[in-house]
Amino acid sequence: MKEIKVGLIGFGTVGQGLADVLFSQRERLVRRTGMSIKLAGIADHGTLELPERFKDIPLTQDGMQLINDPDIDIIVELIGGIEPAKTLVMQAIAAGKHVVTANKALLSQEGSDIFAAAARQGVEVGFEASVGGGIPVIKVLKEGLVANKILSIMGIMNGTANYILTRMTDEGIAFDEVLKDAQQLGFAEADPTYDIEGIDTAHKLAILMTIAYGTPITHKDIATEGISQIEPMDIELAREFGCRIKLLAISRNHGDHVEARVHPTMVPQDHLLASINGAFNAIHFCGDTVGNILMYGLGAGSIPTGSAVAADVVDIARNINCGSIGRVPALSYLPDQMQARRITPMDELYGPYYFRCTVLDQPGVLAKISGILSKYDISIESVIQKGRKKVGAVPLVIVTHSARESAVSAALAEISGLDSVTAPIVKIRILEAE
Ligand code: HSE
C-alpha cells in the first residue's frame, strides 16, 4: 500500500489534535484513500517526550530535520505566529514539500509570498484549519462555490470571543473569569488579545475575502474593533432592545470596492447568527448563483481543528496519488487572475447605531445631545435613561435609524465634548436586516 509521510512541526493544541485524528481515523483513511497516511516525525522544541500512543514516532526539537528528510512528502506547520513559522514554511516549499498550515496570522500577512513560492515550486499549500476550526469553509468557498460571484461574507469566526459573550449574556459571568475558562479549554490564541480585540477574526476574514473575491487582502485592510469595551450593562440593554451582542466579521462585495470590517454588533434575536453560542462559529456566504449558505460548527479546539488539518493532508495525499497536484489553485483563482480592489472606507458605510453615554442627570442634557445628532442628520429611533440621580451620572442610551458612519463619528466627538458627558461613549453597530 502506498504510504504518504507527514512531518508535523508544532505539537501544541492543534498538533496533538491532528496526531489524535490521524491515529483514531487511520483505518477509515485507508478505506477512503487506499493509502497509509503516516505521521513520520514530530518537531516541537517544548516537548521532550510524546504520549504513549505516539511513542513510535520520531521526536525532534528541530523542524528543519523534518524539512530536510527526503522521505517526508507533506510538512504540517502548527506552531503559529509569523516567525519562525514563515521561514520553516518557505524552507519546506523550497525543499519541494507540500505544506499544510492552520496559521491564519501568517497567511493573512505573508500569504502572497507563500502562495507565490508554492506556485513556482509546484507544491500545494492547504490551510483549511486557518478559518472556522473544524468547519470545512475553505473547501466550500474554493470548490463548492466556484461557480459563484460571492456577494457577501458574514460570520462569527472566533470561538473564544463568542464563548465569552455567550457566558456573559447567559450567566452574567465577568469577562476575565470566562476568558480563563476559554484558555483552559484550548480555544484561545497564545496571545488572547488576538481573540478579544478582533485581530484573529480579521485574519480569518482576510483569508476568506482573498479567496472569495480573488483579491489579495491582508488583515491590515480590515477595520477592526474587539469586545473588551463591552460591559455587562450593554449586554443587558441589548437584550432590552431584542438583540444579542456578537463579534461579527462583515464583508460585502460592491464590485469595484469591498467592505471589510470586524466589530461587536447588536444582532436581532430572531437572526440566525444570534443563536450561535459558545465556541461555535457560523459563516454565511451569499453567492449570486447559489443564494445564501450558512455553515455552523466548532470554530476552535484540538480535535475539531485537527479534523480540518487532516482533511488538507488527505487532499494532498490524494493529489499525489493521482498525479493531480495543483488541480485546485491555492486561492481558487489562478495566480495571474488575482485583482486588487479598493476597500470601502468605514466613513462611507451606513447602518443603525446604539450609543451609551454617561451623563449628568440634569435638565437640557438630552436636548443638547439630540440637537447635535439632528445637526448631523442622525435620526433617533429610541432613547432610554437608566436610573435617576440628583448628583452623579446615569447611562443614557440612544438607538438611531440608519446613519452614515462619518456623521456618527463627528456627532459623537461633539457629544463627548459636552460638560455633562462624564465618560467615553460606547458605540455598538446594529445589524440591519438585508
Ligand atoms: N483562538 C481561535 C478561536 C482558535 O478562539 O476561535 C481558532 O482559530
Side-chain angles (χ1 to χ4, degrees):
M1 186 166 40
K2 186 171 173 75
E3 197 170 65
I4 296 291
K5 293 203 171 83
V6 177
L8 168 60
I9 306 179
F11 198 60
T13 306
V14 181
Q16 291 170 37
L18 172 67
D20 274 321
V21 169
L22 291 178
F23 183 76
S24 66
Q25 302 292 320
R26 62 188 186 282
E27 281 163 26
R28 188 178 317 280
L29 292 179
V30 170
R31 286 173 55 212
R32 284 186 157 156
T33 66
M35 291 176 281
S36 160
I37 295 179
K38 184 174 175 196
L39 200 45
I42 294 177
D44 187 288
H45 59 185
T47 303
L48 298 175
E49 202 184 337
L50 292 172
E52 182 59 24
R53 61 193 178 287
F54 304 129
K55 66 176 182 343
D56 295 336
I57 303 173
L59 174 68
T60 169
Q61 305 217 310
D62 177 10
M64 283 308 296
Q65 263 188 38
L66 303 182
I67 290 169
N68 291 329
D69 180 340
D71 288 338
I72 286 183
D73 304 287
I74 303 172
I75 291 290
V76 179
E77 178 278 307
L78 296 175
I79 51 179
I82 306 298
E83 282 298 349
K86 181 175 181 188
T87 301
L88 290 165
V89 164
M90 294 301 268
Q91 295 276 3
I93 291 170
K97 310 289 186 202
H98 305 287
V99 170
V100 173
T101 176
N103 193 333
K104 54 254 161 158
L106 178 63
L107 294 180
S108 63
Q109 185 173 313
E110 306 291 331
S112 33
D113 284 359
I114 292 168
F115 294 120
R120 278 195 304 274
Q121 273 297 97
V123 297
E124 296 212 345
V125 179
F127 50 100
E128 183 61 71
S130 63
V131 183
I135 310 170
V137 59
I138 302 285
K139 198 173 182 76
V140 164
L141 202 46
K142 280 170 61 170
E143 300 188 48
L145 299 181
V146 69
N148 279 263
K149 172 183 178 187
I150 303 298
L151 302 173
S152 66
I153 304 169
M154 183 158 64
I156 293 170
M157 301 184 194
N158 184 273
T160 302
N162 203 43
Y163 179 83
I164 292 174
L165 289 172
T166 302
R167 294 200 62 198
M168 286 176 76
T169 306
D170 293 346
E171 300 169 49
I173 301 178
F175 185 93
D176 292 344
E177 199 182 320
V178 195
L179 173 60
K180 252 186 249 151
D181 284 354
Q183 285 173 299
Q184 271 163 11
L185 290 164
F187 305 152
E189 296 300 298
D191 177 354
T193 56
Y194 276 39
D195 298 298
I196 293 156
E197 297 305 342
I199 300 160
D200 178 74
T201 303
H203 290 151
K204 293 167 178 168
L205 182 60
I207 293 170
L208 293 184
M209 288 177 68
T210 301
I211 305 168
Y213 307 144
T215 296
I217 305 281
T218 77
H219 72 281
K220 292 185 188 127
D221 297 318
I222 299 176
T224 304
E225 289 171 26
I227 60 169
S228 58
Q229 304 305 315
I230 305 291
E231 295 196 9
M233 187 191 301
D234 300 308
I235 289 179
E236 198 39 54
L237 284 158
R239 201 197 311 272
E240 287 185 30
F241 287 111
C243 292
R244 285 171 80 97
I245 299 176
K246 296 288 179 190
L247 181 63
L248 290 195
I250 301 173
S251 172
R252 292 193 180 89
N253 184 354
H254 299 286
D256 60 342
H257 60 105
V258 289
E259 258 174 73
R261 50 198 170 111
V262 169
H263 50 69
T265 310
M266 287 181 41
V267 180
Q269 257 152 15
D270 58 0
H271 192 284
L272 276 172
L273 291 178
S275 62
I276 308 303
N277 290 319
F280 283 89
N281 284 193
I283 299 157
H284 172 268
F285 296 120
C286 182
D288 65 344
T289 54
V290 74
N292 294 306
I293 297 272
L294 181 71
M295 275 172 287
Y296 167 76
L298 272 174
S302 173
I303 300 290
T305 313
S307 154
V309 179
D312 274 342
V313 169
V314 169
D315 255 0
I316 294 173
R318 283 173 162 161
N319 284 343
I320 294 173
N321 203 25
C322 296
S324 54
I325 285 298
R327 187 184 69 86
V328 180
L331 298 174
S332 192
Y333 283 81
L334 293 170
D336 64 358
Q337 295 299 312
M338 299 294 287
Q339 286 173 349
R341 240 140 8 130
R342 186 171 80 93
I343 306 292
T344 323
M346 282 300 281
D347 271 357
E348 292 178 13
L349 301 180
Y350 283 81
Y353 288 80
Y354 157 104
F355 313 132
R356 178 169 53 80
C357 310
T358 307
V359 297
L360 298 178
D361 196 2
Q362 290 169 350
V365 172
L366 180 58
K368 275 189 200 148
I369 292 177
S370 59
I372 294 171
L373 292 176
S374 137
K375 182 171 120 190
Y376 287 98
D377 205 20
I378 299 168
S379 162
I380 296 173
E381 188 198 290
S382 51
V383 179
I384 301 182
Q385 179 183 316
K386 284 286 176 189
R388 169 109 214 260
K389 279 192 186 166
K390 287 224 165 70
V391 181
V394 289
L396 178 73
V397 177
I398 297 174
V399 169
T400 74
H401 291 295
S402 187
R404 189 179 158 105
E405 176 99 8
S406 55
V408 167
S409 305
L412 292 190
E414 203 167 311
I415 294 170
S416 302
L418 296 175
D419 290 343
S420 44
V421 174
T422 62
I425 298 172
V426 173
K427 172 185 87 184
I428 305 177
R429 296 171 186 88
I430 301 174
L431 187 65
E432 206 168 16
E434 292 288 317

